[in-house]
């Protein structure tokens, strides 16, 4: 397993198990903490996409990266608007911090790669990252969310994340040939 995939696995661990240290079966997040995790996870993928747009010359990678920037920026906009409407202030928490730490390490690795090695590292990370985020959304964030509107936003975003994963796997298969 590559270090880039391990970075994404660490993010999955942060998303799914970040608060287990307190002896909980799974993270117990409040709605403000869930809002923070959701915005942070989306911003991380926007950042990865921007790196790919700067570094890659592969048309499939660039198209995918632009989709990530556009779609995840849109989710952030929706989440921030909903948080304002609900008067929910996103609250940084252990999961958010672990996501940010994992992202810094991944960004460093991505920025250090070049050419086809970058393309492979980026798309491998995107596959792993989306698998982790989908798992976290379905198994932690949606079940933990108390506010119906916030839960509805997460439910609405879940199929889009699956589309991203499917697209990433398609690009991954194409560049591995």
């Amino acid at each position: 397993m590559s270090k880039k995939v391990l970075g994404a696995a660490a993010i999955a661990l942060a998303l799914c198990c970040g608060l287990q240290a307190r002896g909980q079966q799974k993270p117990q997040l409040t709605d403000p903490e869930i809002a923070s995790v959701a915005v942070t996870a989306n911003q991380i993928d926007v950042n990865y996409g921007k790196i790919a747009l700067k570094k890659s010359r592969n048309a499939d990678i660039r198209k995918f990266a632009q989709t990530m920037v556009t779609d995840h920026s849109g989710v952030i906009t929706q989440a921030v608007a909903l948080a304002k409407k609900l008067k929910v202030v996103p609250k940084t928490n252990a999961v958010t911090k672990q996501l940010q730490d994992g992202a810094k390490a991944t960004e460093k690795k991505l920025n250090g790669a070049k050419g086809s090695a970058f393309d492979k590292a980026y798309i491998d990370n995107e596959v792993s990252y989306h698998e982790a985020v989908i798992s976290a959304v379905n198994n932690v964030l949606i079940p933990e969310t108390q506010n119906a509107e916030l839960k509805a936003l997460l439910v609405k975003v879940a199929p889009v994340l699956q589309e991203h994963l499917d697209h990433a796997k398609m690009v991954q298969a194409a560049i591995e040939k």
Side-chain angles (χ1 to χ4, degrees):
M1 187 178 286
S2 73
K3 289 181 182 177
K4 285 126 188 117
V5 174
L6 287 174
I11 290 169
L13 183 62
L15 281 167
C16 294
C17 306
L19 300 179
Q20 279 189 342
R22 295 193 304 196
Q24 298 170 342
Q25 193 67 16
K26 66 179 181 176
Q28 298 293 310
L29 300 171
T30 64
D31 285 355
E33 291 171 328
I34 289 168
S36 175
V37 170
V39 170
T40 300
N42 280 282
Q43 186 61 56
I44 287 168
D45 213 22
V46 168
N47 296 346
Y48 293 160
K50 287 180 178 179
I51 292 169
L53 288 171
K54 287 180 187 174
K55 294 192 68 140
S56 183
R57 299 295 165 243
N58 180 296
D60 291 334
I61 294 287
R62 293 182 60 76
K63 180 179 177 186
F64 180 82
Q66 186 59 62
T67 300
M68 295 306 95
V69 170
T70 301
D71 288 0
H72 288 286
S73 293
V75 173
I76 292 168
T77 300
Q78 290 177 52
V80 169
L82 180 58
K84 275 186 175 179
K85 175 185 170 194
L86 299 175
K87 297 181 171 102
V88 171
V89 177
K91 182 180 177 188
T92 301
N93 55 79
V95 177
T96 304
K97 289 177 184 175
Q98 289 175 331
L99 281 169
Q100 291 166 336
D101 291 345
K104 285 178 191 172
T106 299
E107 287 174 12
K108 183 177 179 182
K109 290 172 188 168
L110 290 174
N111 281 317
K114 293 181 170 117
S116 62
F118 169 82
D119 293 340
K120 181 167 177 19
Y122 171 71
I123 204 65
D124 287 352
N125 182 69
E126 284 298 305
V127 168
S128 298
Y129 189 74
H130 279 86
E131 288 173 342
V133 170
I134 289 167
S135 176
V137 167
N138 290 330
N139 299 317
V140 178
L141 300 184
I142 290 173
E144 294 289 327
T145 302
Q146 298 301 306
N147 180 277
E149 289 179 83
L150 180 56
K151 186 175 281 202
L153 176 61
L154 293 169
V155 168
K156 178 180 153 186
V157 168
V160 176
L161 294 171
Q162 184 62 52
E163 288 174 19
H164 290 172
L165 175 59
D166 295 343
H167 186 182
K169 286 180 176 181
M170 183 181 71
V171 173
Q172 184 183 48
I175 68 167
E176 288 179 352
K177 290 182 179 181

